Amino acid sequence: MKKLRISNKRIDDDLLMKKRRAELDKWPTGKEVDFDEAVAYQKSLPDSKIWWKVMTKLREEGRMSVFPRAGTPILEKMIELCQGLRDSGVVLIPVTTDSYTRLGQYEKIEEILKECYRTGKPLLNGYPIINHGVKKTRKLIESIDAAFSPRGGGGEIAIASGMTTWGGGIGFLGFGSYSKNMTIRELVERSQNGMRLVGWYADRGVILCTDLHGWLPSAPFPLSVNIVCLIIEAVTAAEQGQKALYPLVHCMGNMAQDMAWIRLAPRLIREYLDKFGYKDTMIVGVCPSQTPLFPVAMDLGGAFAYLTYISMIGALSKTNAVDLRSIDEGAGVPTREANTMSYRAAKWIFDVVREQKIEIDVKDVATEEKVTETEVRAILDKILELGDGDIVDGTIKAVESGVLDSPWSPNVNVKDKVLGVRDVKGACRYLEFGNLPIPNEIKEFHRQKIAEREKLEGKKADYHTAVRDLWSLSKGKILGIPPYNQ
Amino acid sequence: MVGTTKDLGEEWIKGRMPHPETLRFAQGDRAAAHIEQIHKLFKGEAMKRVPTVITGTVGMDAHVIGTKVLSRALRDAGFKVVELGMQVTPEEFISVAQETKADAILMSSLYGMAELDLKGFNEKRMEAGLGDVILYIGGNLVIGRTDPKEVEKKFKALGFDRVYPPETDTDAGIEDLKKDLKAKGKM
């Protein structure tokens, strides 16, 4: 096979600067950004506001922080919200933008913002960072002693405001989970054109961190495709100049699998980063994430239990961050009280369990790790074969042929030929393999596990089983034997 | 010489005979309808009408699993489904409903902004002549913990016939739809 490489179309600096200014010109607040001043401002930030440094310190000290979701439109309320988070021990604060910001509907937002300030009500489902601009957002950053990360949007305004994360590679999250018509080629182009920014800042001594999501598994589905995508995201980010990153690991609820994946993801990412020659790109931690469907708004007990489970997994796996939603997740924008309670619960687990540095050896973890590792390597080998050593080219061909695939994607260009169901222990198995290049012995393993469930339920596992399994964590019953309401 | 009515029908279906003899004296529209009825009878088609339903997630919302699961359940139940997926504008729902002469629109929304998205929707759909179309909406329709009855009132005021909370069983929704369609004589 030819040397491992990444097709890299690095755009020249002149073109980059023009594109940056053009993007900022889309709304008047863009004028508040001066590129050199932004660099100086970033360099003036204390360590406690620099994301990669905060994560590294947490890990060195054996501590954890919740990495929540937080965004509300009125600035003063947002400051209050974030202060509440900080008081609960959260040192990694997201600034979650609203849905209209993510789609560039700034004029619409301006009108709604006026309403928000007039009525005092949060009419948007996040913080409209572009409309607020740099000056206002710096007020937020400067009021609280924590590191900030823009979620869902924010562009240069986010960096100039003092936020210290920036995505720098091919992002499957947007493609597989949030886009309808984007093709994989368009995703690659967008990523490569737009992401040179992180390298530009790195060249000037500013290290922005990124979290990697992979292709979000929106249903019970083994994490192998996701982990392959984490690796692709990592190497393409490193190629654009990313020096600090960490994976989110989407926990599915089966403890053996969740712990196995938390161990596996950073290990394989490190291996491939090194293989491709990015030895100086740091993996600053691992972050278990609370991803599957959340309990309904009225089920506070379920909400607490779910976030506690994820905190526990993080503590037992000795991670340094945990991506949690508050108990208000099903209800909308969390109140200060809800956040305080939720993250207090998580912090209790961190401070009581994590500190014990438990060496835990759950029986099936090794098996799950081996199975997923075999699948990941098989898919990656196929991708590199398709691309003749070029991972980007291989990725494009893989998505187009279903070698990379995920169930129930909103994107019309995804094959959607795969499906997952849970087995008798709630572990995620492949019901339909689609075109995933999984070795036969592994396929047999999945089939056997599903057969056990079929025996228990007395019926064949099919599409309807997969649908029932969508509610395993939201309804709080991991094994899909009906009825749920008894 | 003309054979049996059955032979007549077959020849006619195969396009080898313009009009059955018997209909020579039928008049205008009635003739056309009559011909269609007989046509269908000979082809063995059911007389039952298959309703058309449009599904999709409204506004900027990118959630799609609920609407996909619902669409498949509707198809399995025998409906003709026009599946629009995510991020469907209210205007698109209206124009597709006009094009397909849809009987019902089943909207999903999970990101809490449905009220904003559907401002003025009822007036627009009335103007477009879709006053008779059945409208359902389901999901996380508001931001915050609100009494489901309040949410129902709010969306009925926006023109919806039925409003469903999250985790509604698709079968229940489909039963309601059949009831409502039968009441309008569309099924």
Side-chain angles (χ1 to χ4, degrees), chain B residues 20-187:
Chain B
E21 267 295 315
T22 48
L23 297 176
R24 222 167 14 130
F25 300 110
Q27 281 166 28
D29 282 355
R30 268 192 24 224
H34 194 48
I35 290 172
E36 213 179 79
Q37 294 264 52
I38 293 184
H39 194 113
K40 277 186 179 169
L41 265 173
F42 284 130
K43 277 180 100 176
E45 270 177 351
M47 295 283 270
K48 200 179 89 174
R49 186 181 171 278
V50 176
T52 299
V53 181
I54 300 177
T55 61
T57 308
V58 69
M60 302 293 169
D61 195 339
H63 290 103
V64 94
I65 294 185
T67 187
K68 279 194 182 218
V69 170
L70 178 63
S71 301
R72 167 128 174 199
L74 283 162
R75 278 194 191 100
D76 288 350
F79 289 86
K80 174 157 186 269
V81 182
V82 179
E83 194 176 341
L84 297 178
M86 72 175 194
Q87 291 181 346
V88 183
T89 62
E91 292 74 23
E92 198 182 334
F93 274 115
I94 290 172
S95 63
V96 175
Q98 286 175 310
E99 269 167 44
T100 60
K101 298 199 178 44
D103 300 292
I105 300 175
L106 269 49
M107 283 191 204
S108 306
S109 177
L110 217 72
Y111 71 161
M113 315 240 279
E115 209 184 339
L116 272 170
D117 291 327
L118 292 163
K119 221 168 164 189
F121 173 70
N122 205 22
E123 291 75 30
K124 287 197 195 118
R125 69 110 170 199
M126 292 296 190
E127 269 168 38
L130 299 176
D132 203 33
V133 173
I134 292 170
L135 287 182
Y136 288 3
I137 189 163
N140 261 341
L141 302 177
V142 294
I143 294 175
R145 265 189 200 92
T146 317
D147 182 354
K149 289 206 173 58
E150 288 299 314
V151 180
E152 190 179 7
K153 230 193 318 195
K154 196 182 283 233
F155 282 86
K156 283 201 164 157
L158 286 173
F160 288 87
D161 298 298
R162 289 187 196 264
V163 181
Y164 295 94
E167 295 197 351
T168 300
D169 190 67
T170 49
D171 288 339
I174 292 175
E175 285 314 301
D176 287 339
L177 184 61
K178 288 182 180 165
K179 224 188 318 191
D180 291 348
L181 284 167
K182 287 199 174 110
K184 285 186 182 258
K186 295 196 178 182
M187 206 177 149

Side-chain angles (χ1 to χ4, degrees), chain A residues 254 256-257 260 361-369 425 449:
Chain A
N254 172 282
Q257 280 192 325
D361 200 6
V362 174
K363 183 162 181 259
D364 296 323
V365 172
T367 309
E368 297 298 339
E369 199 175 340
K425 287 187 176 174
K449 291 291 182 186

Side-chain angles (χ1 to χ4, degrees), chain A residues 402-472:
Chain A
V403 163
L404 279 174
D405 196 3
S406 203
W408 279 307
S409 173
N411 190 307
V412 303
N413 300 303
V414 167
K415 283 285 184 228
D416 203 355
K417 287 171 100 171
V418 292
L419 201 57
V421 292
R422 292 185 185 272
D423 71 11
V424 297
K425 287 187 176 174
C428 302
R429 306 295 176 209
Y430 290 104
L431 179 65
E432 277 156 37
F433 296 95
N435 297 342
L436 302 181
I438 292 174
N440 283 325
E441 334 78 82
I442 304 286
K443 284 190 178 177
E444 254 325 289
F445 172 80
H446 287 279
R447 286 189 193 114
Q448 262 173 45
K449 291 291 182 186
I450 293 177
E452 286 171 14
R453 179 188 177 162
E454 288 173 335
K455 193 161 172 215
L456 195 61
E457 282 194 324
K459 62 163 113 176
K460 218 152 176 5
D462 60 8
Y463 168 82
H464 299 286
T465 316
V467 171
R468 281 205 304 280
D469 284 351
L470 286 170
W471 285 288
S472 1

